[in-house]
Amino acid sequence: MRTLRTPEDRFADLPGFAYEPRYADVADGLRMAYVEAGPSDGEPVVLLHGEPTWSFLYRHVMAELAAAGLRAVAVDLVGFGRSDKPAEIAGHSYARHVEWTRALLFDALGLSAVTVVGQDWGGLIGLRIAAEHPGRVARIVAANTGLPTGDIPMPEVWHRFKDAVLKAPVLDIARLVQAGCKSELPAEVRAAYDAPFPDESYKAGPRAMPGLVPISPDDPAAPANRAAWEVLTTLDRPFLVAFSDGDPITGGMAPILLKSISGTSGLAHPVIRGAGHFLQEDAGAELGRQIAVFVTAT
């Protein structure tokens, strides 16, 4: 598999994101990147981003978690951020992303008693990892995400997004992020979302991910996701549902998670007001505080 690596100078002067990048090989020389904040002996909270963002998305969340004495570990998925980028769309699969991320968290970093936080694709990956390795997981946070099996139709707005990503001659990453936010992103923040992608050849990851979401019952990932649901519905781990009040893509998943997953019982599940799909941008500090309260209280 041919891969690309974004030059480090593309990440100079990132606003509010001065964390030192760290790296680990996860498969045949494929390198993933991550950043950390907070005490090294704090309870680990793994932050998994989605499409088409990277760990920069969690900068406000990380600050709150660190202030609460927690160890925040924000990952760049393969194809995003500082992580290596398969040059072809075919280099990406749902199963590969689950395995790459698992290898980073458990093989390379040796994490245990982890709180897994997933938003967008970070949830599709993180929920699978939690279900398949429950002995390494202490808690789960789902924020504007879900675990589709292809048995329930995706909303029309998602299909429009998928088509736009696949067909765009030039994929405007910053514009996609802005479209998922309620607040207006400053120019330097938009530039930070463009930074991992010097040109179109680096964007196979963002182009691939919408096509990997299971949308039919016979999708290759559907059986594994159904198996994950079977585990998650009865898993005795605290499970926080922290959705925004303004996400047309995943908003309908919140009541399904609350109804289906036993770990949600007895918890106060926040609704993050005035935020869109990328609630980390619109209300990152509030999301970080809610996660910190959840972790320290359970």
Side-chain angles (χ1 to χ4, degrees), residues 166-179:
L166 289 175
K167 296 176 181 178
V170 176
L171 191 59
D172 190 335
I173 300 296
R175 182 179 179 184
L176 290 176
V177 178
Q178 177 63 81

PDB file of all heavy atoms in Angstrom, residues 166-179:
ATOM      1  N   LEU A 166     -17.603  12.455  -2.824  1.00  0.00           N
ATOM      2  CA  LEU A 166     -17.079  11.570  -3.853  1.00  0.00           C
ATOM      3  C   LEU A 166     -16.905  12.270  -5.194  1.00  0.00           C
ATOM      4  O   LEU A 166     -15.982  11.956  -5.953  1.00  0.00           O
ATOM      5  CB  LEU A 166     -18.006  10.360  -4.016  1.00  0.00           C
ATOM      6  CG  LEU A 166     -18.002   9.358  -2.875  1.00  0.00           C
ATOM      7  CD1 LEU A 166     -19.054   8.282  -3.109  1.00  0.00           C
ATOM      8  CD2 LEU A 166     -16.629   8.724  -2.698  1.00  0.00           C
ATOM      9  N   LYS A 167     -17.776  13.225  -5.500  1.00  0.00           N
ATOM     10  CA  LYS A 167     -17.794  13.810  -6.832  1.00  0.00           C
ATOM     11  C   LYS A 167     -17.039  15.135  -6.948  1.00  0.00           C
ATOM     12  O   LYS A 167     -16.749  15.573  -8.068  1.00  0.00           O
ATOM     13  CB  LYS A 167     -19.240  14.030  -7.270  1.00  0.00           C
ATOM     14  CG  LYS A 167     -20.030  12.734  -7.426  1.00  0.00           C
ATOM     15  CD  LYS A 167     -21.486  13.008  -7.762  1.00  0.00           C
ATOM     16  CE  LYS A 167     -22.288  11.712  -7.894  1.00  0.00           C
ATOM     17  NZ  LYS A 167     -23.728  11.987  -8.165  1.00  0.00           N
ATOM     18  N   ALA A 168     -16.701  15.762  -5.846  1.00  0.00           N
ATOM     19  CA  ALA A 168     -16.063  17.084  -5.907  1.00  0.00           C
ATOM     20  C   ALA A 168     -14.699  16.994  -6.579  1.00  0.00           C
ATOM     21  O   ALA A 168     -13.845  16.217  -6.129  1.00  0.00           O
ATOM     22  CB  ALA A 168     -15.913  17.660  -4.506  1.00  0.00           C
ATOM     23  N   PRO A 169     -14.449  17.780  -7.639  1.00  0.00           N
ATOM     24  CA  PRO A 169     -13.115  17.781  -8.256  1.00  0.00           C
ATOM     25  C   PRO A 169     -12.036  18.219  -7.271  1.00  0.00           C
ATOM     26  O   PRO A 169     -10.923  17.680  -7.274  1.00  0.00           O
ATOM     27  CB  PRO A 169     -13.257  18.772  -9.411  1.00  0.00           C
ATOM     28  CG  PRO A 169     -14.718  18.862  -9.677  1.00  0.00           C
ATOM     29  CD  PRO A 169     -15.385  18.660  -8.350  1.00  0.00           C
ATOM     30  N   VAL A 170     -12.361  19.199  -6.442  1.00  0.00           N
ATOM     31  CA  VAL A 170     -11.479  19.654  -5.370  1.00  0.00           C
ATOM     32  C   VAL A 170     -12.266  19.563  -4.071  1.00  0.00           C
ATOM     33  O   VAL A 170     -13.325  20.174  -3.937  1.00  0.00           O
ATOM     34  CB  VAL A 170     -10.992  21.092  -5.602  1.00  0.00           C
ATOM     35  CG1 VAL A 170     -10.146  21.561  -4.422  1.00  0.00           C
ATOM     36  CG2 VAL A 170     -10.201  21.194  -6.906  1.00  0.00           C
ATOM     37  N   LEU A 171     -11.755  18.777  -3.136  1.00  0.00           N
ATOM     38  CA  LEU A 171     -12.450  18.584  -1.866  1.00  0.00           C
ATOM     39  C   LEU A 171     -12.000  19.665  -0.884  1.00  0.00           C
ATOM     40  O   LEU A 171     -10.857  19.675  -0.440  1.00  0.00           O
ATOM     41  CB  LEU A 171     -12.137  17.190  -1.317  1.00  0.00           C
ATOM     42  CG  LEU A 171     -12.979  16.720  -0.135  1.00  0.00           C
ATOM     43  CD1 LEU A 171     -14.458  16.693  -0.489  1.00  0.00           C
ATOM     44  CD2 LEU A 171     -12.518  15.337   0.314  1.00  0.00           C
ATOM     45  N   ASP A 172     -12.912  20.569  -0.571  1.00  0.00           N
ATOM     46  CA  ASP A 172     -12.611  21.705   0.310  1.00  0.00           C
ATOM     47  C   ASP A 172     -12.838  21.260   1.759  1.00  0.00           C
ATOM     48  O   ASP A 172     -13.964  21.302   2.276  1.00  0.00           O
ATOM     49  CB  ASP A 172     -13.507  22.881  -0.045  1.00  0.00           C
ATOM     50  CG  ASP A 172     -13.102  24.169   0.651  1.00  0.00           C
ATOM     51  OD1 ASP A 172     -12.469  24.092   1.730  1.00  0.00           O
ATOM     52  OD2 ASP A 172     -13.420  25.256   0.123  1.00  0.00           O
ATOM     53  N   ILE A 173     -11.764  20.837   2.411  1.00  0.00           N
ATOM     54  CA  ILE A 173     -11.862  20.279   3.764  1.00  0.00           C
ATOM     55  C   ILE A 173     -12.403  21.313   4.744  1.00  0.00           C
ATOM     56  O   ILE A 173     -13.336  21.036   5.521  1.00  0.00           O
ATOM     57  CB  ILE A 173     -10.493  19.761   4.232  1.00  0.00           C
ATOM     58  CG1 ILE A 173      -9.979  18.652   3.305  1.00  0.00           C
ATOM     59  CG2 ILE A 173     -10.576  19.278   5.674  1.00  0.00           C
ATOM     60  CD1 ILE A 173     -10.800  17.401   3.285  1.00  0.00           C
ATOM     61  N   ALA A 174     -11.823  22.496   4.757  1.00  0.00           N
ATOM     62  CA  ALA A 174     -12.245  23.524   5.705  1.00  0.00           C
ATOM     63  C   ALA A 174     -13.716  23.879   5.522  1.00  0.00           C
ATOM     64  O   ALA A 174     -14.435  24.122   6.495  1.00  0.00           O
ATOM     65  CB  ALA A 174     -11.380  24.767   5.552  1.00  0.00           C
ATOM     66  N   ARG A 175     -14.171  23.898   4.276  1.00  0.00           N
ATOM     67  CA  ARG A 175     -15.576  24.207   4.022  1.00  0.00           C
ATOM     68  C   ARG A 175     -16.484  23.118   4.592  1.00  0.00           C
ATOM     69  O   ARG A 175     -17.544  23.411   5.153  1.00  0.00           O
ATOM     70  CB  ARG A 175     -15.810  24.362   2.526  1.00  0.00           C
ATOM     71  CG  ARG A 175     -17.240  24.725   2.156  1.00  0.00           C
ATOM     72  CD  ARG A 175     -17.394  24.877   0.654  1.00  0.00           C
ATOM     73  NE  ARG A 175     -18.771  25.202   0.301  1.00  0.00           N
ATOM     74  CZ  ARG A 175     -19.224  25.325  -0.944  1.00  0.00           C
ATOM     75  NH1 ARG A 175     -18.382  25.153  -1.960  1.00  0.00           N
ATOM     76  NH2 ARG A 175     -20.489  25.602  -1.182  1.00  0.00           N
ATOM     77  N   LEU A 176     -16.084  21.857   4.476  1.00  0.00           N
ATOM     78  CA  LEU A 176     -16.865  20.767   5.041  1.00  0.00           C
ATOM     79  C   LEU A 176     -16.972  20.889   6.560  1.00  0.00           C
ATOM     80  O   LEU A 176     -18.043  20.668   7.140  1.00  0.00           O
ATOM     81  CB  LEU A 176     -16.246  19.420   4.672  1.00  0.00           C
ATOM     82  CG  LEU A 176     -16.343  18.991   3.213  1.00  0.00           C
ATOM     83  CD1 LEU A 176     -15.586  17.685   3.005  1.00  0.00           C
ATOM     84  CD2 LEU A 176     -17.788  18.844   2.769  1.00  0.00           C
ATOM     85  N   VAL A 177     -15.853  21.237   7.199  1.00  0.00           N
ATOM     86  CA  VAL A 177     -15.886  21.403   8.651  1.00  0.00           C
ATOM     87  C   VAL A 177     -16.786  22.579   9.020  1.00  0.00           C
ATOM     88  O   VAL A 177     -17.622  22.478   9.931  1.00  0.00           O
ATOM     89  CB  VAL A 177     -14.471  21.585   9.214  1.00  0.00           C
ATOM     90  CG1 VAL A 177     -14.524  21.795  10.729  1.00  0.00           C
ATOM     91  CG2 VAL A 177     -13.590  20.383   8.881  1.00  0.00           C
ATOM     92  N   GLN A 178     -16.632  23.695   8.309  1.00  0.00           N
ATOM     93  CA  GLN A 178     -17.460  24.865   8.600  1.00  0.00           C
ATOM     94  C   GLN A 178     -18.944  24.535   8.445  1.00  0.00           C
ATOM     95  O   GLN A 178     -19.777  24.984   9.243  1.00  0.00           O
ATOM     96  CB  GLN A 178     -17.082  26.012   7.672  1.00  0.00           C
ATOM     97  CG  GLN A 178     -17.930  27.266   7.851  1.00  0.00           C
ATOM     98  CD  GLN A 178     -17.785  27.893   9.226  1.00  0.00           C
ATOM     99  OE1 GLN A 178     -16.826  28.607   9.484  1.00  0.00           O
ATOM    100  NE2 GLN A 178     -18.731  27.632  10.128  1.00  0.00           N
ATOM    101  N   ALA A 179     -19.282  23.731   7.444  1.00  0.00           N
ATOM    102  CA  ALA A 179     -20.683  23.383   7.224  1.00  0.00           C
ATOM    103  C   ALA A 179     -21.270  22.587   8.384  1.00  0.00           C
ATOM    104  O   ALA A 179     -22.492  22.590   8.582  1.00  0.00           O
ATOM    105  CB  ALA A 179     -20.826  22.585   5.927  1.00  0.00           C
TER     106      ALA A 179
END
